[in-house]
Amino acid sequence: MTTETYLHSLESIPLSDIVKEEYRNYQIYTLMDRAIPYLQDGLKPGQRRILYTLWKNQSKGLLKVSSATGLVLTLHPHGPASVESAIVNMAQDYTFSNNYPLIDKKGYFGERMETGAAASRYIECKLGKVAEYLLFDDMDQVEMVPNYDERTMEPVGLLPKLPLMLLNGAEGIGTGFSSAIPSFHHRDIVKSMIFCIENGKARKIKPFVHDYTLPIEIDAKGKLIFNMGFEEVDGKIFINELPRGYDATKIYKHLTKFIESGFIKDFVDSSVNNDIKIELLFKKGQDVTLEEVENTIGVTSTFSPNYTLISERGVRIFQKAESIIEIFTEERLKVVKRRYELRCEKLEDKITQNNEIIKFIRQKEYEVATRQKNRKSFVEYLTKKKFVYADYLADMPIYRMTKEEVEKRKLMVQEDKKKLSEYTKVAKSDRLVAKKLIEELNEIDQKLTDWRKKKDQEKDKLLKKIAREQDRLGQK
């Protein structure tokens, strides 16, 4: 039998042992509780607590970010600043933020050129449509544990239908480890998962950033390269795309260097939302080609993927996104199988309950209640008669003790038995479980496609409105 030795129980402790022990504890804490996303749902603990809290409070509609933060702090022990920041980050939808924001927003949450959001008391949020589609259908399978002060329960990990860390990408830096996961298109992920179900191996997928208009290049070492884009319109040269990490501050600083060197005279930024439009102004008589501007001013940024995640066995490093998809798909098959097993259990309980109601009414057991001393003795009587739902039957109102109620319950039993037969077949067949998962993936693919299309239409409508307003002001 091994005995544990605690540092505080020793008379003398080498300093190196203290440093190693404390460093190890701090490392585990930062990795597990704050910095690195989890393999199961692709979320960091703070993000999971925010989404769970918003899901529990959907009936409240839009919440001030400051109010939502207060609700989340019942689960999150790290103060309001980190929660507010995480809410804003999950709601932002400009290029290089989130392909599929999990939180819907109202107010100024930042944009591509000015990424800072307004104060939390002025902006509002609620659970996003994407989160509703992906996250909460299998909550009866989610393991719940006490929160940090053991006053309420929180989920250990959610069960999303698609790997969130691949949909929106994920970044985090902990002690000794970091994670840098690029984002991908939902359709590519769905196709890869279906291919994995049918062939046992995930289909290769390419990184994708919504509204980034240039191809994402990948070098020999696997680094992603994001270029600056240029175009010439009516003899004028414009920057029409920016690399990852470039906002107004950074691109202005970059262009100012070329003003100082004399290559350009000035620039005019007419960018709106995600659409970049920066006109480059040259000195009178200066004749430059588009190629010369690209070679002189053009700049790139790189992103080195690092697929580090927290699994049940600790920190796990993957070499490629496809490995994550293969493990995730295997787990989704288990979730779907368990979903149908639980549905069978619920239907069996429901059938038993309805059969007991029929028996209770037909045998006129309710008449016995008039001869019992109190409710407790009536429940004991029903229990002795082997009624499983004795408490429920004891509380049934008298107006339901009718033939009509019996016929209604008989129809319900018939319908539930048909469903039970269907669900049992699925739960016992790996082939049917795989088929159901493919149906679910195709359904979520369509939902996200429709959602994306609607968001893009709203954006186009807004841009046209802004253009009309600018034209009207220009005419004045």
Side-chain angles (χ1 to χ4, degrees):
M1 182 177 178
T2 58
T3 58
E4 294 186 6
T5 302
Y6 297 96
L7 294 180
H8 65 266
S9 65
L10 301 174
E11 290 184 8
S12 62
I13 311 165
L15 182 59
S16 60
D17 288 356
I18 294 176
V19 172
K20 286 178 183 177
E21 182 69 17
E22 293 301 320
Y23 179 84
R24 179 176 171 276
N25 291 338
Y26 178 73
Q27 180 187 39
I28 292 170
Y29 170 75
T30 56
L31 292 175
M32 302 288 284
D33 204 53
R34 301 191 75 167
I36 307 296
Y38 277 61
L39 175 61
Q40 179 175 325
D41 57 12
L43 297 169
K44 298 175 187 178
Q47 295 173 327
R48 187 182 305 115
R49 288 163 183 155
I50 289 167
L51 293 170
Y52 178 69
T53 300
L54 292 179
W55 177 67
K56 294 284 283 184
N57 290 275
Q58 288 181 87
S59 60
K60 296 181 180 179
L62 281 166
L63 294 165
K64 295 284 187 185
V65 169
S66 53
S67 300
T69 298
L71 294 171
V72 175
L73 288 176
T74 61
L75 301 178
H76 194 70
H78 302 301
S82 62
V83 175
E84 286 181 4
S85 174
I87 290 174
V88 169
N89 288 342
M90 284 195 286
Q92 290 173 326
D93 59 0
Y94 56 81
T95 309
F96 296 115
S97 57
N98 295 293
N99 288 341
Y100 308 90
L102 299 173
I103 295 175
D104 286 349
K105 60 186 174 66
K106 183 180 179 183
Y108 187 75
F109 277 71
E111 55 187 81
R112 189 170 180 185
M113 295 296 274
E114 298 289 345
T115 57
S120 62
R121 60 187 177 277
Y122 300 126
I123 53 179
E124 297 174 296
C125 67
K126 66 176 182 177
L127 188 72
K129 277 290 178 187
V130 173
E132 288 180 25
Y133 295 153
L134 294 177
L135 275 172
F136 299 102
D137 283 358
D138 294 294
M139 287 303 291
D140 52 355
Q141 297 186 52
V142 170
E143 182 186 354
M144 305 293 288
V145 295
N147 71 325
Y148 68 94
D149 61 4
E150 299 187 350
R151 292 184 180 182
T152 186
M153 304 294 284
E154 66 171 309
V156 173
L158 300 175
L159 297 170
K161 295 175 183 177
L162 295 178
L164 300 180
M165 75 292 271
L166 299 182
L167 280 175
N168 287 323
E171 291 186 66
I173 300 175
T175 309
F177 293 91
S178 66
S179 184
I181 300 174
S183 58
F184 299 85
H185 198 289
H186 76 271
R187 182 154 284 173
D188 294 336
I189 295 172
V190 166
K191 287 179 180 178
S192 184
M193 287 181 68
I194 292 174
F195 189 85
C196 183
I197 293 167
E198 295 174 340
N199 300 279
K201 187 177 180 181
R203 186 178 181 178
K204 188 172 178 60
I205 58 176
K206 293 181 179 179
F208 167 80
V209 176
H210 186 69
D211 278 331
Y212 180 71
T213 56
L214 298 177
I216 300 172
E217 298 176 13
I218 304 175
D219 70 10
K221 295 181 179 179
K223 282 185 180 179
L224 309 186
I225 301 171
F226 299 92
N227 293 303
M228 181 181 285
F230 297 85
E231 65 176 345
E232 187 171 356
V233 180
D234 298 329
K236 298 177 180 178
I237 296 177
F238 295 87
I239 296 173
N240 64 356
E241 190 55 273
L242 294 176
R244 178 188 177 92
Y246 275 75
D247 57 6
T249 302
K250 193 166 182 179
I251 188 61
Y252 292 174
K253 185 177 180 181
H254 177 71
L255 293 176
T256 299
K257 292 188 296 185
F258 296 96
I259 294 175
E260 292 170 352
S261 69
F263 184 75
I264 61 174
K265 179 183 176 183
D266 204 351
F267 60 89
V268 178
D269 184 8
S270 304
S271 304
V272 178
N273 202 4
N274 284 319
D275 295 323
I276 303 301
K277 188 178 181 182
I278 302 174
E279 182 183 355
L280 302 177
L281 304 177
F282 298 90
K283 295 175 183 177
K284 191 173 182 179
Q286 187 179 357
D287 186 20
V288 293
T289 64
L290 181 64
E291 184 179 358
E292 187 180 352
V293 172
E294 288 177 349
N295 292 335
T296 304
I297 295 180
V299 68
T300 63
S301 66
T302 60
F303 181 86
S304 300
N306 172 14
Y307 299 96
T308 300
L309 295 165
I310 302 293
S311 70
E312 291 179 353
R313 292 176 289 178
V315 178
R316 190 165 178 184
I317 301 173
F318 297 90
Q319 298 304 313
K320 54 186 180 178
E322 292 77 18
S323 301
I324 296 173
I325 288 177
E326 287 168 7
I327 291 175
F328 187 86
T329 303
E330 185 181 338
E331 291 303 311
R332 284 306 297 170
L333 287 167
K334 294 177 185 176
V335 169
V336 173
K337 181 181 178 68
R338 182 59 184 154
R339 182 192 301 161
Y340 280 90
E341 289 173 349
L342 289 171
R343 287 181 181 179
C344 289
E345 291 174 13
K346 289 174 183 176
L347 282 172
E348 286 170 354
D349 291 342
K350 194 176 173 185
I351 289 167
T352 301
Q353 185 185 52
N354 284 326
N355 280 330
E356 287 197 351
I357 290 170
I358 293 168
K359 179 182 174 183
F360 181 80
I361 295 172
R362 279 180 170 172
Q363 294 182 359
K364 298 183 179 180
E365 298 288 359
Y366 52 88
E367 292 181 354
V368 178
T370 61
R371 301 191 294 272
Q372 295 295 322
K373 182 179 179 182
N374 51 36
R375 182 185 180 280
K376 183 181 178 182
S377 60
F378 184 45
V379 170
E380 290 173 352
Y381 163 78
L382 292 174
T383 303
K384 287 178 183 177
K385 296 276 284 186
K386 296 185 178 178
F387 282 97
V388 177
Y389 292 92
D391 279 296
Y392 178 85
L393 295 170
D395 292 334
M396 277 186 69
I398 193 68
Y399 67 83
R400 287 171 61 185
M401 310 301 170
T402 62
K403 288 182 180 180
E404 182 183 9
E405 184 72 19
V406 170
E407 293 304 315
K408 185 176 80 173
R409 296 289 172 172
K410 284 169 71 175
L411 284 173
M412 290 170 71
V413 168
Q414 289 176 7
E415 290 173 3
D416 289 342
K417 282 185 175 178
K418 287 180 183 177
K419 287 181 183 178
L420 179 60
S421 176
E422 177 192 340
Y423 293 166
T424 302
K425 285 180 183 176
V426 174
K428 290 183 177 180
S429 168
D430 291 341
R431 181 182 63 82
L432 291 177
V433 167
K435 183 181 176 183
K436 289 294 181 183
L437 179 54
I438 290 172
E439 289 175 3
E440 176 183 277
L441 289 169
N442 286 324
E443 181 185 350
I444 203 66
D445 178 19
Q446 190 59 51
K447 283 184 177 180
L448 289 178
T449 300
D450 292 344
W451 170 85
R452 185 75 267 173
K453 184 178 179 182
K454 183 180 177 182
K455 296 286 282 185
D456 288 343
Q457 287 173 345
E458 289 173 355
K459 171 197 158 188
D460 292 341
K461 188 177 178 181
L462 176 63
L463 291 176
K464 287 177 182 177
K465 183 179 177 181
I466 292 171
R468 285 196 302 269
E469 189 66 21
Q470 288 176 338
D471 290 342
R472 186 178 66 79
L473 292 171
Q475 290 171 0
K476 286 185 178 181

